[in-house]
Amino acid sequence: MTEMTGKKKLHAAVERFILHWGDMGDEWGVNRSVSQIHGLLYLAEAPMTAEDIAETLGLARSNVSNSLKELLAWNLIRRVPILGDRRDHYEAETDIWEIAARIAARRKEREIDPAIAALRACVSDATDDPGISPVAAKRLKEMLAFTELADHWFMQMLKVPRPRLVALMRLGEKIANLLPIGKVK
């Protein structure tokens, strides 16, 4: 049993956000409890203990403990010392840009990097296999080129200073309108 019954009452907007953040995480392949705990800590006014989190969300303490380990691994929360209290307290990173960058970097590490390695191996195998169809070989190369381009773009965006990145994002459609119209091959 991972759910407990005695949870603290949250304000409606806070509860809605936590539930929605949990749903979003679930859609992205992140455990719902992990996402809900992150949502709670993101909105919390002060660091919270695992016991506080478990009581607030009505989750089992063991579930909270495992979820906190995962959030620490993603570098989305940190332990903070509280004078006079020996328990671990946790707080979330609250800079939304930093949160987005850390999530993107972790997903790149877990998904994009292995995909590039696998695609490179597939392209290499296809090059050495005279029996593979030219269509399959071409599509593998295209998939690899696209994935490497997306990875290169991501790495470039990490180096752009935040004010310029914000400006770039706000200029999105205007920049697209400056590009030549038509399909480029």
Side-chain angles (χ1 to χ4, degrees), residues 103-122:
I103 290 171
R106 183 70 177 205
R107 292 201 69 135
K108 175 193 172 331
E109 177 186 304
R110 291 177 63 181
E111 298 167 24
I112 302 301
D113 293 349
I116 289 173
L119 286 165
R120 285 180 179 154
C122 291

Side-chain angles (χ1 to χ4, degrees), residues 79-94:
R79 283 186 189 91
V80 292
I82 302 293
L83 193 62
D85 193 339
R86 295 175 58 191
R87 298 174 297 171
D88 286 333
H89 291 74
Y90 301 90
E91 67 181 6
E93 172 62 56
T94 56

Side-chain angles (χ1 to χ4, degrees), residues 145-165:
F146 172 81
T147 307
E148 287 177 331
L149 180 63
D151 182 58
H152 180 71
W153 175 83
F154 172 75
M155 296 307 293
Q156 285 180 317
M157 291 301 103
L158 286 180
K159 296 174 186 171
V160 175
R162 186 176 302 168
R164 287 187 178 176
L165 185 58

Side-chain angles (χ1 to χ4, degrees), residues 66-77:
N66 290 330
S67 297
L68 290 170
K69 287 177 189 171
E70 187 167 342
L71 288 166
L72 286 165
W74 279 74
N75 199 22
L76 294 174
I77 65 168

Side-chain angles (χ1 to χ4, degrees), residues 48-76:
M48 298 179 73
T49 65
E51 293 80 13
D52 294 335
I53 295 165
E55 184 180 342
T56 301
L57 296 178
L59 298 173
R61 177 64 175 81
S62 59
N63 187 355
V64 170
S65 179
N66 290 330
S67 297
L68 290 170
K69 287 177 189 171
E70 187 167 342
L71 288 166
L72 286 165
W74 279 74
N75 199 22
L76 294 174

